[in-house]
Amino acid sequence: MTRKLLALALGAAAILAFTPANAQTYFGPADINTSFGPGGTISASFGQSGIVAGMFQHIYQFTLPVSGSASGSVTTSAVLFHGVGDLDLTSVFLNGVQLTGITGALNEVVFANAVPIVAGVQNELIINGISRGNGSYGGQGVFVSNAVPEPAAWGMLIGGFGLAGMAVRRRTVVLAKA
């Protein structure tokens, strides 16, 4: 009886030793390179390389100060398809919206357009895939704020139109004599 229990314990330990170590990996804002553009746009790039063989799930979490819409894509890179460095994306979700793939169940490229982002809420990008060993992917995203301009900005805009209208109206026309 003791031998059977010992054999069972060793078998369970062997199974647990060979499960993928990278089942879920979380990344925060420090792992996303961001730049801020005019009008409240934010562009971001992210990616991973050296992903060991097997299934993986990477989760990027971030919070933005304003609401808006996001678009982006995730692309794998491989020197040889189905070789040691190849990686296939099985699914990619941004806040529960599945990104669309190009080739079907196993994708090399996925993309999304106009996914809603809510201010002050933790957003998640979840990337699931299969690596054949030393796999890599990269992604980029763009966020556009849908914030309404402040009253001062509206006032400056209306004032600018008024000044431009006055300048056009006051312009004198000089006729050329033949």
Side-chain angles (χ1 to χ4, degrees):
M1 179 75 168
T2 305
R3 287 185 184 180
K4 286 184 181 181
L5 287 175
L6 183 59
L8 184 61
L10 287 174
I15 290 171
L16 291 174
F18 290 107
T19 57
N22 58 344
Q24 286 188 345
T25 308
Y26 290 86
F27 301 99
D31 301 299
I32 303 171
N33 300 317
T34 56
S35 62
F36 300 91
T41 62
I42 300 172
S43 61
S45 61
F46 55 90
Q48 298 296 318
S49 60
I51 301 169
V52 299
M55 297 185 76
F56 68 91
Q57 181 178 67
H58 290 167
I59 301 173
Y60 292 86
Q61 298 175 326
F62 59 95
T63 304
L64 295 177
V66 294
S67 296
S69 298
S71 299
S73 63
V74 180
T75 307
T76 67
S77 56
V79 176
L80 177 63
F81 286 114
H82 302 289
V84 142
D86 191 18
L87 179 141
D88 291 314
L89 302 170
T90 56
S91 65
V92 179
F93 294 91
L94 176 57
N95 288 343
V97 175
Q98 186 167 7
L99 278 66
T100 305
I102 293 177
T103 61
L106 299 177
N107 296 295
E108 303 296 330
V109 177
V110 294
F111 55 91
N113 195 12
V115 176
I117 302 291
V118 179
V121 176
Q122 185 168 336
N123 298 283
E124 278 192 337
L125 173 67
I126 301 174
I127 301 173
N128 298 301
I130 301 170
S131 176
R132 289 178 181 76
N134 202 27
S136 63
Y137 66 85
Q140 60 83 28
V142 177
F143 169 80
V144 178
S145 168
N146 59 6
V148 176
E150 294 182 10
W154 280 108
M156 288 176 58
L157 180 70
I158 292 169
F161 282 136
L163 288 174
M166 284 176 37
V168 168
R169 188 171 182 162
R170 294 185 125 216
R171 189 179 72 182
T172 57
V173 178
V174 177
L175 298 174
K177 294 183 180 184

